[in-house]
Amino acid sequence: MPRELGDVLHFFLGDAEGPDPEGAPFRNVAPPRPAALPVIALPLSERDVVRAAFAWNLAVEVARLGASATLVAPDGGDPSPAWPEPGPGPVGADVRRAAAGDLAELYRGAMDVAVSRAADAPEGGLVLVCVPPVWLRRPEGGAALTRWSLLFTSSDGRDLLETYGLAKTLLRLRPDARVGVTVHGARGLADAESAFRRIAEVAGRRLDASLTSYGLLVDDLHVYRAIVARRPVGLAHPQSRAARALRDVARLLLEDAREMARV
Amino acid sequence: MSEIEATAAPPRPDLLLRLRARLDDLKPPLRVLAESLRGAESPIDFVAADPSGQVVLVLVGGDGECLELLARGLAQKSWAEPRLRDWLQLAPNLGIRADQPCRVLLLCPEFRPETLAAARSLPPGSLALARYRCVRAGAQVHALVETVDNGGADASEGSGRRGESGRESPPALAERRPSQGAPAPPFRTGLTEDDLDLSPAEKAEFE
């Protein structure tokens, strides 16, 4: 069932109303161990510093929730100096560079990671794969990678148009794709909700597709300072709204990952 | 009227404060963007921009530190240049040119002949030298800055556009909307509207 932002809004309300993001542990259920961890594709440019940082920080937050988390990106290219170094990172979040020149090779590299990490993931986990958007235009043999994807968007009309276009491209590759959207940089909850509803409504009408909301992320000074310092926001500023929002989005992703692993 | 007399440099935090105030008086004037930015193993005292948007890394040294400061300046330049595009993404209103190399400005009380020779061997526009003096006027300490070698950064031409006032506003940000008839700029991902096969009706949905 498609998730509306309203369904998850309580995660993003203030302290008085929302659950304590630091207190309660992730749900205390031991999932069956899958043969491979779920893989989620994140179409984003390696030079998009902010969104690449969100991807990395989400991996760290998934790891902080006790699950396995690996961020995979294709090798080579011209990554930002802010990109994390390959290897085990904070709280066990792993960064891997995959030797890949197209979507198919990236898919194979991601699946290698998904299988190898599943063996050591009693609490489940997730493999986040940064996909060069231009590779979506030549997906031969790699459409399987886009079964589940996450798009970042701001509430700006141009960004929403791009996100809609990416959703359209992903659904053309796989009509059964689950396309998720996380809104960042919104002025407030209402702004984020309005942005998601706008794009979801257009996608529903024009593409006959339901987009899944994965909440919202906060663009604030803590995020930028953490990016420049190459430290995860959740560790550098754990009590900040940015860190709490990341944690909540990570929870949503992990819930769906566990659900997928059970299917 | 108080006498003005030369005086020793104040403690470093005070010195930096006083020098910061003088950067605006240089030719070309500098606009400070950040202070004490952790760069390549040591802080960059000031990250600034000139009227054309070129990033200028300002390092302040004491007596006898000019040659070491030159080496640090080049290291910081090498560190900062790959990061300019990132900074511009993080702060689009910064008004800097990510397509231009950084310039380094060294501020020292004196420059040895060896340092001057090394500076002149570098490509024009990459390094500038300025001497500072501290003077006391009554109870107040002031820093005076004198350009020794502006490294080819011509104040009258600059490396960008010049306005009538001689003070440039930061270069215009890239337009999000193209002028009439021009193709729309690429999206944040680098893809274009054509790449995403967006119809006019779809585009209109988000206007």
Side-chain angles (χ1 to χ4, degrees), chain A residues 84-140:
Chain A
E85 292 292 328
V91 294
D94 201 15
V95 177
R96 303 271 185 102
R97 304 290 283 186
D102 56 32
L103 202 64
E105 288 178 351
L106 186 58
Y107 170 65
R108 284 193 287 276
M111 286 312 298
D112 285 345
V113 172
V115 169
S116 64
R117 292 280 287 184
D120 299 319
E123 296 297 327
L126 188 54
V127 176
L128 301 93
V129 184
C130 295
V131 177
V134 69
W135 289 4
L136 297 175
R137 301 185 64 211
R138 289 195 308 276
E140 292 77 24

Side-chain angles (χ1 to χ4, degrees), chain A residues 47-51 78 80-81 133 137 156-158 160 162 164 168-169 172 198 202 205-206 224, chain B residues 82-83 85-86 89-90 176 184-185 187-189 191 193 195-198 201-203 205-207:
Chain A
R47 293 301 315 203
D48 190 329
V49 179
V50 176
R51 291 178 179 175
D78 181 25
S80 156
R137 301 185 64 211
D156 173 77
R158 186 97 179 128
L160 290 175
E162 178 190 31
Y164 167 83
K168 179 178 174 181
T169 301
R172 275 185 177 168
R198 189 175 174 192
V202 175
R205 183 161 36 84
R206 291 191 171 271
Y224 300 146
Chain B
R83 288 164 169 78
R85 279 192 286 172
D86 295 347
Q89 270 197 46
L90 297 177
R176 295 295 299 275
F187 292 111
R188 191 163 171 161
T189 52
L191 297 176
E193 291 176 356
D195 290 334
L196 295 175
D197 193 26
L198 291 165
E202 287 171 322
K203 287 184 246 182
E205 294 269 15
F206 297 98
E207 284 172 359

Side-chain angles (χ1 to χ4, degrees), chain B residues 17 23 43 56 89 95 114 116 138 142 163-164 170 173 186 199 202 204:
Chain B
L17 197 64
L23 295 179
V56 180
Q89 270 197 46
E114 206 173 4
L116 293 172
H142 303 274
E164 289 181 0
L173 299 171
S199 68
E202 287 171 322

Side-chain angles (χ1 to χ4, degrees), chain B residues 78-147:
Chain B
S78 175
W79 176 87
E81 281 173 353
R83 288 164 169 78
L84 295 182
R85 279 192 286 172
D86 295 347
W87 294 351
L88 204 50
Q89 270 197 46
L90 297 177
N93 294 324
L94 217 48
I96 63 172
R97 297 277 300 270
D99 59 343
Q100 275 192 329
C102 297
R103 185 156 46 94
V104 175
L105 170 63
L106 305 181
L107 291 169
C108 279
E110 285 295 341
F111 290 94
R112 291 156 49 186
E114 206 173 4
T115 310
L116 293 172
R120 286 177 186 136
S121 73
L122 295 170
S126 56
L127 184 77
L129 307 177
R131 189 184 295 122
Y132 68 83
R133 293 271 185 276
C134 293
V135 297
R136 178 181 297 282
Q140 296 285 332
V141 174
H142 303 274
L144 305 177
V145 177
E146 171 196 19
T147 301

Side-chain angles (χ1 to χ4, degrees), chain A residues 84 106 196 249:
Chain A
L106 186 58
F196 177 77
V249 173

Side-chain angles (χ1 to χ4, degrees), chain B residues 5-30:
Chain B
E5 56 181 5
T7 186
R12 190 169 173 84
D14 284 344
L15 174 64
L16 292 178
L17 197 64
R18 281 153 179 73
L19 288 173
R20 187 191 198 283
R22 294 276 77 85
L23 295 179
D24 198 37
D25 297 336
L26 295 173
K27 287 181 172 45
L30 298 182

